[in-house]
Amino acid sequence: MILESFTTRKYVADDKLWEMIKRANNLTQGGFSSWDDNAPVLVPLLKRILARAREVRDWQIYFYVMGKALWYIGRDDVQDTRFAFQISEMFHQAYREGLAAETTRFGREYFVDTAARILDLYMQYPQIDDVKMGQMLSIFLECEEKYGTAWNAGNYVCVLSVGLLDRDGELIEKSKKKLASLDFDSWCYICYYVRPMLKYYVYREDFDRIEELILSVSRKEIPKKYQWCYQQCEQANEETLVFEALAHCMDYGKPELFRKIFDRWPERCRNPIEGDIVTCDALLHAMAGDLSRLEEVIQVAEEDDRKYQENKVTPFDAMYWFLYWHLYFRLLDRHGIGFVRMNPVGEIENRTARVEADGRREYSCQALSEYFGRKSDEIGRQMSRSRSKFDYGTMKKSHEICLRL
């Protein structure tokens, strides 16, 4: 349930609020697919809950629902950007009015949580420049110091990402220290310790610690009190962590470490893809020579293209997706696959296509690579203009070097 902290009437004084909270929880009793399917009803309901909570000045519910809503509307199948920035404005107004001082410790924890989620939101959009990012980071650090509890150490996952993007050593080390102090009774040990630390140790080029982290998860040697994560976290497996480590190597320009990690777990990329197809994973399999499930992979490329057209992915994520597909089709061309059947959202020159007897159109892998490359380059240039410490060109070159393209 999306508002699981309010499943009883004990902490909800207002009748209207209680009825809306009950309905939101009823809509989210199933798996996450039901949450996404119910978005057309659930998103407007969350807006009404926030409006009512502000009207009756129930700041505990107000800040709690802010944090929960920001997480929910950031899901791939929801992606309500307008609502996310509306919540950002609501937070800034509450910050200016000092409303966190008027609520409970629980409410203040979620006030800090919302500040971190807004920082993460801002990082995704090139419209937010260095000045605005710096202001939001300062607000988070101020609020965390003033109102944060040990629980809020989990919010440094977002801060670590900002620090790594900016290559800010002081912020990176502060985030690492905070995450290491976290009590994982309430936070997933895999998502809020192992995966962030994987990023950190890739950045520091510490292969031994990377290997140690991945093996601790695959051998189920994490602390016993946190092993509940294996039942709830889809990332609690060796394959996912290996692929994430390789992706971070490409992000941070670590080709030697990339090769070392690949050589330690070569079967993860060489064996046929199993389960759901993830964009970056498909790229790494192609790099290793595995071109299994090619038609399904192409469908994922089409879906990624369509999601961006429908504003169901953030620009920052889309930049990476399109870069991966640019490189993927270059690899297909290298493997001797000249044409594939695909329905791109945008226009591709007719001279690069051929029409089969059934009327279906195929495009050259070279043309598709250029198509996705243009899309990635456009977003990347925007990000580089707004973030002085982000160099898209260097990042793209790093991917090419790691993949030996």
Side-chain angles (χ1 to χ4, degrees):
M1 292 181 288
I2 191 167
L3 306 179
E4 73 272 12
S5 292
F6 293 98
T7 55
T8 66
R9 185 65 194 269
K10 182 178 179 181
Y11 299 109
V12 186
D14 183 73
D15 291 339
K16 289 184 179 180
L17 263 181
W18 173 240
E19 291 303 317
M20 289 189 287
I21 288 171
K22 280 198 304 182
R23 190 179 180 207
N25 282 335
N26 287 336
L27 288 169
T28 51
Q29 286 188 352
F32 285 136
S33 60
S34 70
W35 296 37
D36 299 337
D37 292 342
N38 285 321
V41 177
L42 186 56
V43 170
L45 180 57
L46 291 171
K47 292 180 180 181
R48 292 199 297 274
I49 292 172
L50 285 168
R52 182 61 180 176
R54 183 168 181 87
E55 182 182 351
V56 299
R57 300 185 69 83
D58 191 328
W59 306 126
Q60 176 171 263
I61 292 177
Y62 189 63
F63 297 135
Y64 174 75
V65 176
M66 270 191 188
K68 288 290 183 175
L70 272 176
W71 171 82
Y72 172 65
I73 61 181
R75 291 178 59 79
D76 284 348
D77 291 330
V78 183
Q79 277 299 338
D80 193 326
T81 305
R82 178 176 294 182
F83 186 24
F85 279 97
Q86 286 174 349
I87 292 175
S88 166
E89 291 303 313
M90 293 160 66
F91 171 85
H92 282 290
Q93 183 177 351
Y95 170 74
R96 291 190 296 270
E97 294 176 4
L99 297 181
E102 298 182 21
T103 189
T104 61
R105 168 177 167 161
F106 177 83
R108 289 191 288 271
E109 285 178 335
Y110 272 90
F111 182 78
V112 175
D113 181 71
T114 300
R117 294 186 186 278
I118 292 171
L119 183 65
D120 184 62
L121 170 72
Y122 283 4
M123 188 172 67
Q124 304 294 318
Y125 290 87
Q127 299 93 320
I128 306 299
D129 60 17
D130 281 335
V131 174
K132 293 177 182 176
M133 282 294 296
Q135 290 171 343
M136 192 63 229
L137 176 60
S138 296
I139 289 173
F140 167 77
L141 294 173
E142 173 197 332
C143 293
E144 194 275 329
E145 182 177 355
K146 190 173 183 179
Y147 301 120
T149 67
W151 181 81
N152 288 116
N155 293 131
Y156 276 85
V157 165
C158 300
V159 181
L160 177 63
S161 295
V162 173
L164 288 169
L165 187 69
D166 289 346
R167 304 297 196 268
D168 184 332
E170 183 177 348
L171 193 61
I172 291 169
E173 293 302 326
K174 179 173 183 175
S175 300
K176 175 182 179 290
K177 184 176 180 180
K178 283 282 188 176
L179 290 168
S181 72
L182 187 59
D183 182 347
F184 296 97
D185 289 337
S186 302
W187 299 84
C188 174
Y189 182 82
I190 307 300
C191 293
Y192 288 87
Y193 182 76
V194 174
R195 295 173 69 197
M197 291 301 166
L198 205 59
K199 282 185 181 181
Y200 175 83
Y201 288 120
V202 168
Y203 181 72
R204 294 299 182 197
E205 298 188 72
D206 191 335
F207 174 79
D208 291 340
R209 296 305 303 272
I210 294 167
E211 182 181 43
E212 179 184 324
L213 279 172
I214 294 173
L215 293 179
S216 72
V217 174
S218 65
R219 295 171 179 172
K220 296 192 174 181
E221 294 174 351
I222 68 173
K224 289 184 179 180
K225 63 185 295 189
Y226 306 137
Q227 295 208 357
W228 58 267
C229 298
Y230 288 104
Q231 281 71 52
Q232 298 189 28
C233 181
E234 295 179 354
Q235 281 71 42
N237 62 81
E238 181 179 279
E239 180 173 320
T240 296
L241 298 177
V242 169
F243 283 133
E244 287 194 0
L246 291 171
H248 298 326
C249 288
M250 293 191 291
D251 288 346
Y252 306 143
K254 312 292 183 183
E256 292 182 8
L257 182 60
F258 179 96
R259 191 52 49 185
K260 198 169 184 179
I261 294 170
F262 176 82
D263 289 343
R264 174 63 178 82
W265 289 280
E267 72 285 354
R268 290 302 175 194
C269 296
R270 289 174 178 161
N271 291 343
I273 299 175
E274 297 181 358
D276 294 339
I277 297 171
V278 178
T279 301
C280 185
D281 296 1
L283 171 65
L284 293 168
H285 274 272
M287 178 270 299
D290 169 37
L291 303 179
S292 60
R293 301 174 65 184
L294 181 58
E295 290 187 6
E296 293 174 78
V297 172
I298 300 303
Q299 288 174 3
V300 175
E302 291 178 349
E303 185 178 350
D304 286 352
D305 198 16
R306 176 183 53 77
K307 280 185 176 181
Y308 183 65
Q309 181 74 13
E310 296 175 355
N311 295 316
K312 290 186 176 180
V313 59
T314 67
F316 192 67
D317 283 344
M319 175 187 70
Y320 279 100
W321 288 5
F322 294 150
L323 176 58
Y324 295 153
W325 291 123
H326 163 70
L327 298 167
Y328 178 83
F329 286 108
R330 284 175 63 181
L331 286 169
L332 285 192
D333 190 64
R334 172 179 285 184
H335 287 303
I337 298 177
F339 286 79
V340 296
R341 186 177 297 164
M342 184 176 168
N343 296 307
V345 171
E347 293 293 328
I348 298 181
E349 293 182 26
N350 287 333
R351 65 178 177 80
T352 67
R354 65 186 185 190
V355 181
E356 297 185 326
D358 61 2
R360 300 188 69 177
R361 188 178 297 269
E362 288 189 334
Y363 291 96
S364 73
C365 289
Q366 181 179 356
L368 289 169
S369 176
E370 292 172 357
Y371 170 76
F372 283 111
R374 286 194 299 272
K375 291 195 166 195
S376 178
D377 291 349
E378 180 182 358
I379 302 171
R381 285 192 292 268
Q382 292 172 355
M383 294 297 300
S384 291
R385 285 195 296 268
S386 63
R387 311 288 165 78
S388 60
K389 295 181 182 178
F390 175 73
D391 186 339
Y392 170 76
T394 298
M395 186 271 292
K396 180 179 180 180
K397 187 64 178 177
S398 168
H399 280 65
E400 293 172 334
I401 292 172
C402 286
L403 297 170
R404 295 179 175 174
L405 281 170

